[in-house]
Amino acid sequence: MWLVFDDGEEAVKAWGPSDSLYGTRHLAAKWSNDGTLGKIKAFLVADMIGDKDLNIDHVDNSTPWLLDLLKVAAKNTGHLGNIYKYSEAEEDDHLPFAQRGVPVLDVIDAHYGPSTEASPDGYHHTAEDTLDKVSAKSLQTSGDLLLEMIRLINQRP
């Protein structure tokens, strides 16, 4: 298991395929060139998973068997109530790996804070994105789910 802390997600001028996800695009290309990608069973992104009102999205552009496995992990850990309230595609750090054929799962709570006309993405990328919005319980739930996902992935051939 590798833990990767990446940077460079944001766009310099305008979000798009060539102006975003700099860190993971670079890493996916590097690992493609050196053969590392072929050794990866799954690439899981943990993003914004400390929200006090934790609800991990069903990210439609994740790998289907990993989406199914997250549901199993949630059942096994007693956290079914914290997943899949929302379903949508996310433009996130999993995409450069998905585009190179790696099984991916974006574990994200993209509905972070109330959506208003002034802040349609809630607290995400605003001055309101502060530590008081984070919950130790949500971080524990996310940790439980990720550890169970690793266990389940490692059981696969």
Side-chain angles (χ1 to χ4, degrees):
M1 182 179 77
W2 297 319
L3 295 177
V4 175
F5 297 87
D6 69 275
D7 198 2
E9 181 181 58
E10 287 77 13
V12 175
K13 292 184 180 181
W15 185 275
S18 63
D19 189 11
S20 64
L21 307 176
Y22 289 96
T24 49
R25 281 193 298 128
H26 171 79
L27 185 60
K30 180 179 187 279
W31 282 355
S32 177
N33 290 336
D34 71 13
T36 301
L37 282 189
K39 300 173 186 173
I40 298 174
K41 288 184 177 185
F43 186 85
L44 309 181
V45 172
D47 196 353
M48 297 169 44
I49 54 172
D51 182 5
K52 282 184 179 178
D53 182 28
L54 181 66
N55 199 304
I56 295 168
D57 298 345
H58 182 281
V59 178
D60 300 339
N61 53 5
S62 290
T63 302
W65 69 264
L66 283 168
L67 288 165
D68 293 342
L69 208 60
L70 181 59
K71 194 168 186 179
V72 172
K75 182 180 178 191
N76 291 354
T77 58
H79 299 306
L80 272 172
N82 294 102
I83 67 166
Y84 298 168
K85 180 178 177 183
Y86 302 102
S87 181
E88 59 206 2
E90 288 291 336
E91 292 183 27
D92 206 358
D93 290 299
H94 64 300
L95 294 179
F97 288 87
Q99 291 161 352
R100 293 178 183 270
V102 175
V104 297
L105 180 65
D106 192 9
V107 182
I108 185 171
D109 180 350
H111 300 271
Y112 175 50
S115 178
T116 65
E117 190 173 319
S119 296
D121 291 329
Y123 303 134
H124 186 228
H125 290 256
T126 71
E128 296 298 313
D129 187 358
T130 54
L131 282 175
D132 62 305
K133 312 299 188 306
V134 176
S135 154
K137 181 180 179 204
S138 293
L139 291 171
Q140 181 66 57
T141 297
S142 297
D144 293 346
L145 290 168
L146 289 166
L147 287 172
E148 182 65 2
M149 284 296 295
I150 293 166
R151 189 185 74 76
L152 293 170
I153 289 166
N154 280 334
Q155 287 181 345
R156 293 175 56 92

